[in-house]
Structures are given as structure tokens and as C-alpha cells.
Amino acid sequence: MTRFSAFSLFANALSSHKKWPQHWPDAAPKASYDAIIVGAGGHGLGAAYYLASRYGITNVAVIEKGWLGGGNTGRNTTIIRSNYLYDESAHLYDHAVKLWDGLSQDINFNVMYSKRGVMMLAHNVHDVQSFKRHIHANRLNGVDNEWLTPEEAKAYCPPLSIDPGARYPVLGAALQRRGGTARHDSVAWGYARAAARLGVDIIQNCAVTGIRRGADGAIEGVETERGFIASKKVGVSAAGNTSVVMQMAGLDFPLESYPLQALVSEPVKPVFPCVVMSNTVHAYMSQSDKGELVIGAGTDQYVSYSQRGALHILEHNIAAICEIFPIFRRMRMLRTWGGIVDVTPDRSPILGKTPVKGLYVNCGWGTGGFKATPGAGDLLAYTMAKDEPHRINAPFNLDRFRNGRLIDEAAAAAVAH
Amino acid sequence: MILIHCPYCDEKRPELEFTYAGEAHIARPADPSTLSDEEWERYLFIRANPKGRHNERWRHSFGCGRFFNAVRDTVTDKFETTYKAGEPRK
């Protein structure tokens, strides 16, 4: 496998870029592995990569029912931030942001992490008070966040309308400068390539059909469409399908799966320099490096696995965008899609061990899992390798729904993740 | 947009008139003080979240305002049937 560098780019240019080798082989399943990850999204591939690179377990398979990165990894709006209110969440998401920082060098694949800043708009007095509280809490946790006046917000993001007569007046904004975007496909491809280089097998089009447990209840392996694969450690990172996979092991989970929609406009020249989120009117937007405006909505109201949502959700979303950014009123939208997000009752993820020995889970990221990709991968790998959670993900255990130690970000943090 | 049949109004109306109200047939504990932590967890947080047939509650908020139950396929989003609150699970 070629290492990407300016030299390899130049050398391959001489053959018109026709001789680049395969990034990762299409592996066939072996009879057994030291660890299996179910789900080849960013989180699952990241976990496989960190198992091999940091925790010394290289005999690993990642099993995917569809194609790599074809679930929520390829369907999100690529926003990265860590300005969460509670200590546990701030530590968890900031762990990921710190890993984003050196990720392209680490996996030798440009994930196009761009620290363009994430600005959250305050439209009413409650927003102002709550964001200022967030800013102070974040700074005590070492997470950068600062308050902007409407004029400063306008200077940071010129398309913003701060007209006091606007339907959603801007009273100020909270800005996390380290926040930004990354290219979602590159994250999946980069992790897959880096993991495969360390010996990880990536097995696509191979749905898990059952989880086999021994007489003592411990994990023995997974049944798949391509036969039984043995392993004493199985990590499930299956986002919206987690409930379905967990029921194969006889576990009921506190999860509900909802469609979350997004859409992009036709590509235009650079016009939108940062990420802007408005939780009150439920819209968020950024511009991709290709030039499309990337817009996200809130979840649909009912449980579904359909990977599509209702049009009226998008209509509401677009109406809000047009009010806040009147310059985009005549912009044409190119396509819309939906992904299935697994939502927990307290809107915080579940990342750790399960009651079944050898079965680990990374789920419940709801509408905001992309930003946590490297962190979730690393912490799932740590938990699987050591058979105990890292202190960062220890509070995000499954027991919290029994003992009541919820991490209730739903009420305290941004609505849109 | 999904059209939903309200069993009280006996009409098919657009989804916009309705509010989703979660999984159906989760009975409130009769004697809450005797419940264990496990039973509370199951009542409050654990959900079936099936891929397929789902019994769920809806409210005709912008119509008659009443709660009713429905069976919907969560893969196709197609409604199989709707029935009045209090009727047995279908």
C-alpha cells in the first residue's frame, strides 16, 4: 500500500493516476478473530484502527451489512464541536476534538478537518442566558467558547441577518473557534485504509444474523450471511440498528431510532465561512468545500428505519434558514436524504460494557455522532482491549438508566446536535 | 406526507394534524412504590424499537384531540391499522 505524500502524488501523475494501488482489500471472513466490530461506519472503523494501532490487537474484523461508510457516516452534516454543558460530555466530546486535530497525519489520509468555527445563535433572552452559562462551563473544562455581540457575529459570518426587526432576531452568539467540519467519506475511507494496513479485515455486504453465546452466557462469535465467525470480543457500533443487533444477544436497549434529514443546495462560490446553528428554530448550516450549502433539520417525530423523512420537516427547516439568511432565499436545493439515528432517553451515548461478557456497545449518539468519531473509536477500542471503560466513557454506561445517574444533555445542551 | 386514519373521526387526514406519542401498551405501574430499579428501568426507558411491525400511540392534536393506537411498519412507514385507545393490542 502506497503511503500518500507529495512524492507519491508526483510519481503517480507520471502514469496519469492510473496505477494507484487498492486502498484496502475486499477481505473474506476468517474462521475466528481476537475481536470483531459490527458496523463499518466511522466509529466502527475507528475502533478497529485504534485496536490495532494503540492497543495491540491486530487480528480484528469489521463486519458491515451494506457498504463501508454508507450509513450515518455518509449522511450527516459533518459538524465538529465540543461545547457541551456537563463535565462528562465536555470531556467525551473534547477527547474527540483533540484527536481530530492530528487525525489526517495519524492515518495518512486527508480528512479535511477545517477549524472554521461553530457559531450558535441566540434569539431570545433564554438563549442568551443559557449560552453564557454554557460558555462559562466550557471554559472551566478547558473547552474554548466565547460570546459574540450581534455585530461581531455578523462580522464572523457576513450572510447572517442581524436586522432587529427580523422574525428571529439575533441577540448574540456563542462561538467555538476550534469547531468546524471534516469530510465524512474521507473519515471512513481513511480509517479503513489505515486499519487494513495494520492487518484488520474489512468485510462488507455481510450482515450479522445472530450472536452466539456459550453455556456461561459469554460471547462466542457472530452468525453472519457468510457463516459463523468466532470471537471472544464483539463490539457493536451499529447506530440506528443497535436495538436489532442487541436483541440477537437477548438484550433490550433504551433506544429509539428516528429519521434525521439533511439537504444540500447547488454548489456556489465560497460565501459561507463557518458553521452556524440555531437551536431555537432548529436549523444548522455550513458550506462544503465543493460549494454546496449543507443544511440539517431536526428528527422526524416517529420511530422509523426507512432512511427517509417527511417533506414538511424540511419545509420548516428551509423557512427558518431563509429568515436568518435572507441572501439564500432564491438558492436552489439539489438533494435531500435521511439517516436513522438511535436516540437514548437522556440524549447521551452509551459506550462501554454490556451485561453479556465479551459484548461491548457504542450507540445512542443520536443526532450528533459524527463529531465524536475518533473519540468514540478510541474509547470503544480501549474498553474492548482492557475489558473496562476508560475514565472518559465510564459515566456513559448502560447502568445509568437503572441507577438514575443520567447525563441529561437533552434539557441542557443544544437541541440540534 | 403520510395519511393517517383517525379511528374517532373515521377519516384519513395528513400527518401534520397528528402528534406521535411513543410506543403503545406500556401500562403505568399499578403500585409504583413496590417497583424495583429494574422494573422502573423497563417501564421508563426500555423500548422495543422494532424493525418492522410497531404498536404506537398517536394523538389527533389538530382534529378531535384524542389519543389512539396504531400499527405501523417502521421500514416502509405504512400504517397497517389504527384502533381506539383501550382496545386490545392488534
Side-chain angles (χ1 to χ4, degrees):
Chain A
M1 207 172 296
T2 325
R3 192 174 164 77
F4 291 141
S5 64
F7 173 75
S8 67
L9 189 65
F10 177 76
N12 278 282
L14 297 177
S15 55
S16 306
H17 295 294
K18 283 176 183 164
K19 291 188 178 162
W20 284 102
Q22 200 179 24
H23 282 201
W24 59 85
D26 187 16
K30 289 192 284 195
S32 80
Y33 290 92
D34 293 339
I36 290 177
I37 309 278
V38 179
H43 287 220
L45 293 164
Y49 169 68
Y50 290 118
L51 270 175
S53 67
R54 288 189 168 187
Y55 306 110
I57 302 178
T58 53
N59 186 21
V60 177
V62 185
I63 303 175
E64 165 62 46
K65 76 179 161 93
W67 65 95
L68 180 154
N72 294 346
T73 300
R75 293 165 190 267
N76 63 78
T77 50
T78 76
I79 297 170
I80 296 167
R81 62 185 180 87
S82 59
N83 51 356
Y84 283 70
L85 180 64
Y86 290 125
D87 294 351
E88 296 88 345
S89 318
H91 295 155
L92 179 67
Y93 289 97
D94 214 47
H95 178 60
V97 170
K98 285 173 188 155
L99 285 172
W100 277 114
D101 235 343
L103 187 59
S104 295
Q105 287 73 26
D106 187 18
I107 61 176
N108 183 232
F109 201 103
N110 188 2
V111 299
M112 296 163 82
Y113 173 39
S114 152
K115 287 184 246 188
R116 55 186 67 184
V118 171
M119 194 162 80
M120 301 176 108
L121 301 178
H123 296 296
N124 51 45
V125 175
H126 171 78
D127 281 355
V128 173
Q129 291 169 343
S130 135
F131 284 174
K132 285 188 173 172
R133 181 180 172 212
H134 273 70
I135 288 170
H136 293 308
N138 288 158
R139 292 169 83 149
L140 287 172
N141 275 322
V143 176
D144 74 302
N145 203 351
E146 61 191 270
W147 179 254
L148 301 184
T149 63
E151 292 71 28
E152 288 167 339
K154 170 91 178 162
Y156 197 75
C157 181
L160 183 67
S161 162
I162 55 166
D163 180 359
R167 181 167 180 194
Y168 307 119
V170 175
L171 303 186
L175 173 66
Q176 185 179 21
R177 290 184 191 270
R178 282 192 309 152
T181 59
R183 185 166 177 228
H184 48 8
D185 293 331
S186 292
V187 177
W189 299 336
Y191 271 132
R193 177 174 171 272
R197 195 171 53 201
L198 297 174
V200 172
D201 279 357
I202 296 159
I203 304 158
Q204 301 178 71
N205 298 311
C206 178
V208 169
T209 53
I211 292 179
R212 193 185 287 182
R213 293 170 64 181
D216 59 346
I219 289 292
E220 290 191 336
V222 293
E223 309 278 357
T224 74
E225 286 174 339
R226 290 159 77 175
F228 176 72
I229 309 173
S231 179
K232 296 237 177 292
K233 289 178 189 238
V234 173
V236 175
S237 188
N241 282 294
T242 304
S243 293
V244 177
V245 177
M246 281 304 171
Q247 273 156 13
M248 295 173 189
L251 296 177
D252 291 326
F253 257 60
L255 289 173
E256 289 192 298
S257 299
Y258 292 95
L260 177 68
Q261 297 185 80
L263 66 162
V264 293
S265 73
E266 58 191 352
V268 289
K269 287 189 175 176
V271 60
F272 203 79
C274 58
V275 180
V276 174
M277 314 184 69
S278 170
N279 306 316
T280 304
V281 296
H282 239 127
Y284 39 103
M285 181 155 92
S286 63
Q287 187 173 20
S288 73
D289 292 335
K290 218 181 341 176
E292 303 154 327
L293 296 179
V294 183
I295 300 170
T299 57
D300 278 54
Q301 57 173 342
Y302 45 77
V303 164
S304 175
Y305 289 82
S306 62
Q307 292 192 319
R308 74 183 72 176
L311 188 64
H312 63 91
I313 303 280
L314 293 176
E315 199 180 349
H316 174 82
N317 182 233
I318 292 286
I321 292 285
C322 290
E323 290 290 340
I324 302 169
F325 307 104
I327 90 167
F328 296 131
R329 277 186 182 165
R330 295 170 74 182
M331 195 83 163
R332 281 173 297 192
M333 293 299 142
L334 207 59
R335 57 180 194 277
T336 77
W337 64 91
I340 300 304
V341 299
D342 45 330
V343 178
T344 56
D346 63 356
R347 302 302 192 269
S348 288
I350 303 168
L351 177 44
K353 298 170 72 169
T354 69
V356 176
K357 187 172 160 36
L359 184 64
Y360 306 86
V361 71
N362 167 46
C363 68
W365 289 93
T367 57
F370 178 74
K371 65 172 81 68
T373 303
D378 179 41
L379 294 170
L380 178 60
Y382 181 100
T383 308
M384 290 178 71
K386 315 263 182 193
D387 195 35
E388 62 178 16
H390 190 277
R391 64 184 167 78
I392 295 177
N393 66 309
F396 294 89
N397 55 42
L398 193 54
D399 295 337
R400 71 180 192 268
F401 300 100
R402 185 165 301 175
N403 60 30
R405 295 189 66 86
L406 302 178
I407 304 162
D408 196 7
E409 285 284 343
V415 177
H417 290 260
Chain B
M1 180 169 304
I2 295 176
L3 296 177
I4 302 173
H5 177 261
C6 172
Y8 293 100
C9 305
D10 199 18
E11 264 187 273
K12 263 197 170 174
R13 307 290 299 171
E15 181 198 336
L16 275 182
E17 292 186 12
F18 297 84
T19 315
Y20 178 71
E23 192 178 332
H25 303 294
I26 297 177
R28 192 175 170 78
D31 190 0
S33 61
T34 61
L35 249 56
S36 67
D37 287 353
E38 286 72 23
E39 287 164 327
W40 272 121
E41 181 193 23
R42 185 150 285 278
Y43 166 67
L44 289 173
F45 300 129
I46 303 292
R47 294 293 176 263
N49 197 25
K51 193 171 194 171
R53 218 167 167 275
H54 190 220
N55 288 74
E56 58 195 21
R57 296 196 308 156
W58 285 81
R59 182 172 179 237
H60 197 182
S61 316
F62 301 99
C64 63
R66 302 186 73 169
F67 281 93
F68 60 90
N69 293 330
V71 181
R72 185 176 51 92
D73 188 301
T74 60
V75 178
T76 60
D77 288 341
K78 256 189 192 154
F79 279 81
E80 185 183 307
T81 181
T82 58
Y83 52 102
K84 292 177 182 170
E87 287 179 19
R89 177 189 284 267
K90 285 193 181 174

